[in-house]
Amino acid sequence: MRIALENFTKTFGDTAVIENMNLEIASGEMLALLGPSGCGKSTTLFAVCGIHRMDGGRLLFGDKDVTSVPSQNRNVGVVFQNYALYPHMNIYENIAFPLKIRKDNKKTIDEKVQEIAELVHIPELLDRKPIQLSGGQQQRVALARALVREPDVLLLDEPLANLDAKLRLEMRSEIRRIQQKTGITAILVTHDQVEAMSMCDRIAIMDKGQIVQLSTPKDMYENPASEFVAGFMGNPPISFLDGTVDENDLRLANSSQSLPLSSNISLPNDGETLRLGIRPEHFQPNYPAKLSGKISFIETQGREVLYDVTLENGDVLRSIQSSGMPHAIGELVTWGIDPDKTLAFAANGSRL
Amino acid sequence: MRRAHLLGLGFMAPALLIVCLFFLAPVIMTAVFSFTNMSSGTGISGGAYEVTEKTVRRLPEHGFPEAKAEMLAQDVYRIDPAGLTALGAGYGKALADEVGKSLSGKTFNGRRDLERALKKMKARPRSIREIKVAADLFKRSVLNTRYETEDAFVAAITDLDLKLDTSERALLSKVAYTGWTWTTENYELIATLPSTLRAAANTLTYVGFTLAFNVGFGLFLALATFYLPGAQAATFRAIWILPRILPPVIYIMMWKWLTWDTGFISSFLSNFDVTPRNWMLHSDINAWVSIVLINGFVGASLGMILFSSALRAIPSSMLYASEVDGASRLQQIWYIILPQLRWPILFTTAYQTLSLLTSFDYIYLSTDGGPGSSTEVWALYTFHTALNNYGGALQYGLGAALALVLVVIGIAASLVYLRLFNFDKLVAKPRIEQ
Amino acid sequence: MTSNFKTWPVTLLLAVLSLPIVIMFAYLIVDTVTDTTAGSLIPDRFTLEHWRFLFEPPQTGRADIWAVTLNTFLFAGSTSLIVVSVSVTSGYALSRLNMPFRKFFLGGVLTLHAFPTVTLIIAIFLMLQMTGLYNTLIGVILVKTALELPFGIWIMKGFYDTVPWEIEMAGIADGADRFTVWRKLVLPQVHPGLAALGLFSFLSAWSEFILPQVLAPDGASQVLSTYMQNLIKDDRAPDFNLFKSVGLFYALPVMTIYLIFNQKLMNIYGGGTKG
């Protein structure tokens, strides 16, 4: 089902947390609300599920206006960060609870619980209590409980934050598999860009109550709309170089070095400041526009190695390369940048 | 109104009802009662009107003509239709008719005169005793007769034919009223009575010493049991929880046994040639030491519980770290533990101040304010004044005024605690906005 | 904790300071089954005669101990029941529900929680006399309930506060209304709190002395505390063996409950600090 927020506004006390936000999620799509803590992503999620009231704007499920429909009647499924399983009920009762409230008959409940348990791979756990389950299993139960009512939309609030690294990887693909299998519209709230990129069709990146960019993961990585988005997406993160425009070059601040700028962007006037974003994979030994610096840090990541290169003005560029190169800390290197793969930002942070 | 609002108010309703009935109403009533002269003498419902010998004596003091006051006290017998009807019913129509014919409208001062007149009747009762009873049917005196309403009283007075003017009649009604009246004299009494001053001074002594003992000793117990090995600590905690959990009546009974003149201390000390005596009531000092210890043990017991749980909340890594840094036990207590206990200590102190200021049950059960009134604190003085004293004259109004002082202190202190409690954090909005 | 200090001086000091309580308590128990010659400290014979009060009143005119015990049970039991059932809903409303005057109610409960209730006893005494509830068990029960209530509500609110919001949010998203959420999802989480509050109120009423003494001094409605106090007070030559036997009988339920539910009750002491 299509979900649409129109001019959504939310205030706490006198401060507006979110103002006039618009967002549309296509039917069957999984969308990530990504952003740092306090950006308003959870507030948005709670407004969609009805736990928070909207102070302005409309919320549409399909063509139906549900703005003032109480949460109980909205038909949403929610998975919380701590799973919120009912500790005094066993797994079967947990999953059956939404159906029991809906007063389904016993046989229907039984069939549906079995069916959903199969889907999330926990049929053997039904008579356990939540406390006897591992984090990953609890997560599956929470998913099953959220989905058993066949809701119009599935809301996931930081669902992987409480899992250890290995389980997180496993559940990432599991959630995506189940979402695709059921074809349900889903919203994932997360602060982890890897999660957002790997699980979702589109990402809405939020900052200070605003959606700053809404796009597919690939597009967002390659074409960030602002310095904030560029800095948020990508691990290891992008590095930035400051300088002033000098014809078609960037003269680095406090440095004698300069870099050629891409011809694809509309350059500001000479003498204006500009910030260049360079991703670690685009600072490599064989790229054309050379920069010299000293290796100040080496992080071995197994298949790849991450180098921090400190330029003479103190700026640091990151480079990620296949392992096997015999570099050492303190070594002077001259590596290159492909000007067409750099991202240029104006002084106010917007993309050029 | 939203449905969750209704649910909330519905959920609160029983509590609100009870609180209104037993907190709000008593607070207001305490204030109301404090402006009355209510006592066990006046009763608590409306009073009646009655002229007694005492009233007659007091009347001239208020400016009532003495002669008329004396007339009030006299027995007056008047032959009127009402008396005649009663006579007819009791002793036959013949006597009534006879008396009516010869004596109607006449007034006798004193029963003897009437008896003499009655004896002249032909249809008179045979025995002297019956004549006396018959005469009483014509008694029209107000002395020692209760009238439930002012109208009835005024009617009876008018009947006496004392020729009172309006102001005299009003004065008479006022003096003859036996019920309670509005007055501010309770507050004048509080300001002037030496016993209130004494009670206030005793309260300060009591609160000061007991509080110091509670907090100091409670802290010592908590720290000592914190450092002792498990089994020993558990034993001492179990011992020191006893004063807190034992019902006050038993706890005080045990102290009485300990300090009685044939009790444990006396018996024990007699081995060292110390004369047996009552170690609780022998002297003022004895009484004060007993009171502070009795209350202090209970308070220290509570302090120990609170401080112990605060101590357990200190991360043990912090204590290990200070040990690695070379701190001795005392340094650890002084630099690491006490700063972290600052809030529990402040809190306990504030709370117990109020609680000690108003509690009197342990004192009531042990010394009952004695010897003399050397340990009578304000709360106990209030209690004695209004609810429990040997004279039996309970002054509810004065007691209420004394209690109101404590009520006002209580409300003020409670409001101060609201600030201590970090109230703004407590009223954080519910996270489900329904 | 490592022991880089000598513990025995602390132990010794504590032992000396604890002596009065230990002596009082030891003799409380020993004296109920022994006789001691006056002036001596060592009991000289075993006897059960101090417990005769269980079968016949200790003096003529005294009520039967079992009737008094029944009164006490009624008093403490009803108080505990009402306190718990009223606190269980109000505590939830204050902890979780949006409603008008919520801030005012919270402030009120907090103020009353600290408020010295005993100062109201004169007004309550007069009010009970005016309403005819004076000298009845019902009157004392109502008053004791009311005075315990702010504490109970506060404690229950504390227990509700510890239930994760997400449980409730999940229940709402699952389609349950607030009442069902409370009844089916939240209430089961605070059962330990209910039990603790129930026990605590029971013990508090069981030990209560001033209220029954002032509000229901009559023989028919007396409870163990007033019974015992009258026994002590009326006696010219105190029979401490008898007092202690009655006292032990009276204290036994309290101590049993503490022994069994120690941990639960400590929770309440940690949360509420009414001294």
Side-chain angles (χ1 to χ4, degrees):
Chain A
M1 184 161 298
R2 179 189 79 111
I3 311 290
L5 273 166
E6 294 175 355
N7 296 321
F8 165 48
T9 299
K10 176 75 202 170
T11 56
F12 286 122
D14 295 331
T15 45
V17 192
I18 291 171
E19 256 184 307
N20 287 322
M21 177 175 147
N22 287 287
L23 177 65
E24 186 168 339
I25 306 149
S27 185
E29 184 185 30
M30 182 150 174
L31 178 118
L33 286 175
L34 175 65
S37 63
C39 73
K41 53 190 194 299
S42 292
T43 308
T44 310
L45 183 97
F46 282 152
V48 173
C49 99
I51 284 168
H52 283 176
R53 292 190 301 146
M54 295 168 61
D55 295 308
R58 296 204 302 162
L59 172 66
L60 302 176
F61 281 14
D63 294 325
K64 198 175 140 214
D65 185 346
V66 296
T67 314
S68 52
V69 175
S71 186
Q72 287 93 335
N73 306 334
R74 267 190 208 188
N75 203 20
V76 291
V78 191
V79 174
F80 294 92
Q81 178 174 347
N82 61 8
Y83 321 127
L85 299 183
Y86 310 133
H88 57 292
M89 301 180 180
N90 68 21
I91 300 308
Y92 181 95
E93 290 163 333
N94 260 281
I95 300 175
F97 184 75
L99 303 176
K100 235 164 122 183
I101 291 297
R102 204 166 64 180
K103 299 201 165 62
D104 283 5
N105 69 44
K106 248 187 141 131
K107 200 164 146 277
T108 323
I109 293 180
D110 205 46
E111 281 168 9
K112 287 199 171 157
V113 172
Q114 293 297 345
E115 187 186 324
I116 203 86
E118 295 283 345
L119 177 71
V120 301
H121 300 331
I122 51 160
E124 72 285 1
L125 302 176
L126 287 178
D127 50 5
R128 305 244 189 115
K129 281 280 175 72
I131 200 161
Q132 300 167 298
L133 266 53
S134 71
Q137 289 168 328
Q138 292 194 27
Q139 172 85 81
R140 287 170 191 272
V141 177
L143 266 171
R145 191 182 63 190
L147 289 171
V148 73
R149 218 161 45 133
E150 291 161 24
D152 295 335
V153 56
L154 176 65
L155 305 173
L156 303 145
D157 184 17
E158 302 268 9
L160 305 175
N162 283 12
L163 295 175
D164 58 45
K166 193 157 165 275
L167 265 174
R168 201 176 297 179
L169 217 64
E170 177 191 324
M171 287 314 294
R172 227 152 69 183
S173 50
E174 272 298 282
I175 292 175
R176 183 61 164 161
R177 173 184 70 80
I178 292 162
Q179 185 263 334
Q180 282 176 332
K181 184 138 192 204
T182 51
I184 190 173
T185 312
I187 301 177
L188 169 76
V189 160
T190 179
H191 64 271
D192 180 350
Q193 44 100 16
V194 180
E195 251 173 65
M197 290 211 280
S198 59
M199 292 168 74
C200 295
D201 299 307
R202 284 195 301 159
I203 298 173
I205 188 160
M206 294 183 68
D207 187 30
K208 300 187 183 95
Q210 300 282 332
I211 295 183
V212 289
Q213 190 173 1
L214 175 60
S215 191
T216 62
K218 183 169 151 44
D219 181 54
M220 192 166 279
Y221 185 74
E222 290 169 355
N223 279 311
S226 67
E227 189 190 322
F228 171 79
V229 179
F232 207 83
M233 308 293 287
N235 185 28
I238 196 166
S239 12
F240 293 103
L241 294 179
D242 288 322
T244 48
V245 180
D246 181 9
E247 292 186 20
N248 284 334
D249 287 355
L250 179 73
R251 184 164 299 283
L252 297 187
N254 310 319
S255 167
S256 58
Q257 303 195 60
S258 60
L259 273 176
L261 287 167
S262 168
S263 50
N264 300 341
I265 55 173
S266 53
L267 284 177
N269 297 333
D270 279 11
E272 301 246 342
T273 56
L274 185 147
R275 176 172 272 202
L276 209 54
I278 298 151
R279 295 209 182 271
E281 62 268 34
H282 298 143
F283 180 49
Q284 298 291 335
N286 51 355
Y287 279 18
K290 297 298 185 193
L291 277 175
S292 299
K294 210 184 258 181
I295 294 181
S296 52
F297 184 71
I298 299 177
E299 186 183 311
T300 310
Q301 296 186 336
R303 194 158 30 83
E304 288 156 334
V305 181
L306 178 70
Y307 301 100
D308 282 8
V309 177
T310 307
L311 307 183
E312 60 171 328
N313 65 353
D315 282 352
V316 177
L317 275 182
R318 289 188 201 90
S319 170
I320 192 154
Q321 300 174 17
S322 309
S323 55
M325 299 294 174
H327 293 298
I329 289 184
E331 193 180 327
L332 208 62
V333 291
T334 305
W335 290 339
I337 288 163
D338 182 351
D340 288 337
K341 287 183 173 158
T342 59
L343 306 163
F345 301 99
N348 66 1
S350 65
R351 177 83 183 279
L352 291 170
Chain B
M1 185 155 310
R2 283 179 269 153
R3 284 187 62 189
H5 286 184
L6 287 178
L7 184 66
L9 290 178
F11 269 24
M12 289 297 297
L16 288 178
L17 179 75
I18 294 179
V19 164
C20 282
L21 282 179
F22 292 96
F23 277 98
L24 235 46
V27 168
I28 296 169
M29 294 311 268
T30 304
V32 172
F33 291 142
S34 75
F35 286 100
T36 70
N37 63 357
M38 223 178 253
S39 70
S40 48
T42 65
I44 55 169
S45 45
Y49 295 83
E50 184 174 7
V51 175
T52 60
E53 275 89 356
K54 198 173 154 210
T55 322
V56 173
R57 272 201 311 280
R58 276 175 59 203
L59 270 169
E61 294 166 22
H62 291 87
F64 194 80
E66 205 164 335
K68 290 181 181 176
E70 263 167 31
M71 281 170 74
L72 272 176
Q74 278 176 357
D75 281 346
V76 175
Y77 293 80
R78 180 179 307 122
I79 312 302
D80 56 11
L84 288 172
T85 316
L87 190 69
Y91 297 93
K93 200 170 175 310
L95 179 63
D97 285 346
E98 193 182 357
V99 173
K101 202 175 287 168
S102 58
L103 300 174
S104 183
K106 278 192 107 171
T107 300
F108 300 86
N109 289 329
R111 190 168 59 191
R112 189 164 301 199
D113 294 348
L114 178 58
E115 277 172 34
R116 207 169 289 141
L118 283 181
K119 277 179 189 158
K120 293 179 183 142
M121 298 298 141
K122 281 189 194 121
R124 66 174 188 274
R126 245 159 288 151
S127 75
I128 301 293
R129 210 177 61 79
E130 276 182 272
I131 288 177
K132 281 183 199 282
V133 174
D136 271 348
L137 291 173
F138 296 95
K139 186 178 172 190
R140 291 298 172 263
S141 169
V142 293
L143 196 70
N144 294 331
T145 309
R146 278 176 73 89
Y147 297 91
E148 295 303 326
T149 65
E150 190 175 1
D151 287 344
F153 180 66
V154 170
I157 297 295
T158 317
D159 230 20
L160 285 182
D161 202 20
L162 295 178
K163 305 187 174 60
L164 299 174
D165 62 28
T166 329
S167 67
E168 285 169 341
R169 190 176 300 145
L171 182 65
L172 181 57
S173 294
K174 186 164 168 266
V175 177
Y177 187 60
T178 63
W180 54 270
T181 52
W182 301 104
T183 172
T184 53
E185 93 194 348
N186 293 326
Y187 291 95
E188 289 156 27
L189 278 176
I190 290 181
T192 52
L193 279 180
S195 48
T196 52
L197 194 68
R198 171 104 203 230
N202 281 345
T203 308
L204 285 183
T205 317
Y206 165 64
V207 173
F209 279 102
T210 312
L211 195 62
F213 189 92
N214 282 356
V215 175
F217 196 53
L219 203 56
F220 169 74
L221 284 175
L223 284 170
T225 53
F226 181 67
Y227 279 122
L228 285 181
Q232 282 183 42
T235 312
F236 283 120
R237 276 203 203 105
I239 291 172
W240 280 97
I241 195 83
L242 282 171
R244 178 79 182 97
I245 65 169
L246 281 176
V249 181
I250 301 173
Y251 175 67
I252 298 297
M253 184 267 288
M254 284 160 53
W255 275 95
K256 280 187 170 163
W257 167 80
L258 194 73
T259 54
W260 214 252
D261 40 17
T262 57
F264 183 86
I265 296 181
S266 293
S267 301
F268 182 73
L269 288 181
S270 65
N271 295 330
F272 305 95
D273 290 332
V274 179
T275 331
R277 57 160 145 154
N278 188 326
W279 290 88
M280 189 185 282
L281 292 168
H282 182 78
S283 70
D284 289 6
I285 298 290
N286 280 153
W288 275 112
V289 170
S290 306
I291 295 245
V292 169
L293 287 182
I294 287 171
N295 284 281
F297 277 23
V298 177
S301 188
L302 181 71
M304 177 187 76
I305 297 169
L306 294 173
F307 297 143
S308 288
S309 68
L311 276 174
R312 273 195 298 275
I314 297 177
S316 53
S317 58
M318 198 181 280
L319 299 177
Y320 289 129
S322 70
E323 274 172 36
V324 173
D325 291 344
S328 73
R329 270 309 121 128
L330 286 178
Q331 285 172 322
Q332 192 176 53
I333 290 172
W334 186 252
Y335 291 110
I336 311 290
I337 292 179
L338 283 184
Q340 309 227 27
L341 289 185
R342 204 171 51 218
W343 269 104
I345 291 173
L346 177 65
F347 193 78
T348 311
T349 310
Y351 227 112
Q352 295 209 350
T353 309
L354 187 52
S355 151
L356 286 173
L357 211 53
T358 54
S359 73
F360 58 89
D361 44 354
Y362 287 109
I363 305 183
Y364 170 65
L365 286 168
S366 53
T367 65
D368 198 15
S373 52
S374 59
T375 55
E376 188 171 58
V377 295
W378 191 283
L380 185 63
Y381 177 58
T382 306
F383 179 72
H384 279 155
T385 303
L387 298 173
N388 182 298
N389 65 41
Y390 293 112
L394 305 176
Q395 295 167 278
Y396 305 135
L398 180 58
L402 287 167
L404 195 66
V405 174
L406 293 177
V407 171
V408 169
I409 293 176
I411 291 176
S414 307
L415 291 176
V416 171
Y417 295 156
L418 276 188
R419 296 195 65 83
L420 277 185
F421 262 114
N422 194 5
F423 186 59
D424 285 339
K425 193 173 145 246
L426 287 168
V427 297
K429 275 230 151 53
R431 284 177 56 195
I432 297 178
E433 300 179 343
Q434 282 196 325
Chain C
M1 206 60 21
T2 52
S3 42
N4 62 359
F5 74 119
K6 292 196 185 73
T7 55
W8 69 262
V10 178
T11 312
L12 189 69
L13 183 60
L14 259 183
V16 170
L17 291 170
S18 307
L19 216 53
I21 297 184
V22 175
I23 289 171
M24 286 192 288
F25 200 71
Y27 275 93
L28 171 68
I29 293 166
V30 170
D31 280 356
T32 63
V33 287
T34 55
D35 272 334
T36 309
T37 320
S40 160
L41 296 177
I42 295 131
D44 38 38
R45 75 181 183 95
F46 175 87
T47 174
L48 281 176
E49 73 176 303
H50 307 308
W51 288 90
R52 260 201 338 256
F53 71 91
L54 290 178
F55 312 103
E56 60 190 55
Q59 294 134 11
T60 44
R62 292 256 172 245
D64 176 31
I65 187 87
W66 296 106
V68 178
T69 309
L70 180 68
N71 271 351
T72 319
F73 257 107
L74 280 178
F75 173 49
S78 320
T79 303
S80 160
L81 198 70
I82 306 176
V83 166
V84 168
S85 43
V86 175
S87 304
V88 76
T89 56
S90 331
Y92 180 71
L94 286 179
S95 168
R96 290 294 160 93
L97 293 177
N98 267 312
M99 60 187 160
F101 312 118
R102 177 166 179 274
K103 201 171 169 174
F104 174 76
F105 289 157
L106 268 171
V109 169
L110 202 50
T111 314
L112 291 181
H113 170 49
F115 187 78
T117 47
V118 75
T119 54
L120 299 177
I121 198 163
I122 295 171
I124 290 176
F125 167 81
L126 294 176
M127 284 166 65
L128 287 196
Q129 289 222 322
M130 288 169 178
T131 50
L133 285 173
Y134 179 69
N135 244 337
T136 63
L137 210 50
I138 294 177
V140 201
I141 290 172
L142 282 177
V143 173
K144 179 67 183 168
T145 304
L147 302 196
E148 283 288 302
L149 203 54
F151 176 79
I153 295 177
W154 195 246
I155 289 292
M156 272 329 287
K157 179 194 175 291
F159 280 112
Y160 281 120
D161 284 346
T162 64
V163 178
W165 269 104
E166 282 81 6
I167 296 250
E168 237 167 301
M169 293 178 176
I172 284 175
D174 283 345
D177 59 49
R178 290 308 289 271
F179 185 80
T180 313
V181 166
W182 170 71
R183 176 81 194 69
K184 291 269 169 64
L185 302 182
V186 181
L187 201 51
Q189 322 291 325
V190 296
H191 272 161
L194 282 185
L197 177 62
L199 284 174
F200 190 86
S201 317
F202 184 89
L203 291 182
S204 169
W206 185 266
S207 309
E208 178 64 51
F209 165 68
I210 289 287
L211 291 181
Q213 167 81 1
V214 173
L215 303 178
D218 204 40
S221 47
Q222 69 182 329
V223 290
L224 281 169
S225 60
T226 46
Y227 177 86
M228 199 172 148
Q229 175 61 11
N230 291 339
L231 199 63
I232 296 172
K233 206 165 182 180
D234 296 350
D235 214 328
R236 296 269 157 245
D239 178 358
F240 273 103
N241 293 81
L242 172 66
F243 300 165
K244 285 179 177 179
S245 305
V246 178
L248 194 59
F249 174 78
Y250 173 32
L252 225 42
V254 178
M255 292 191 295
T256 316
I257 290 176
Y258 261 95
L259 274 180
I260 302 175
F261 300 105
N262 186 13
Q263 220 45 51
K264 264 190 180 141
L265 287 161
M266 285 306 140
N267 269 347
I268 284 221
Y269 277 120
T273 39
K274 195 123 195 173

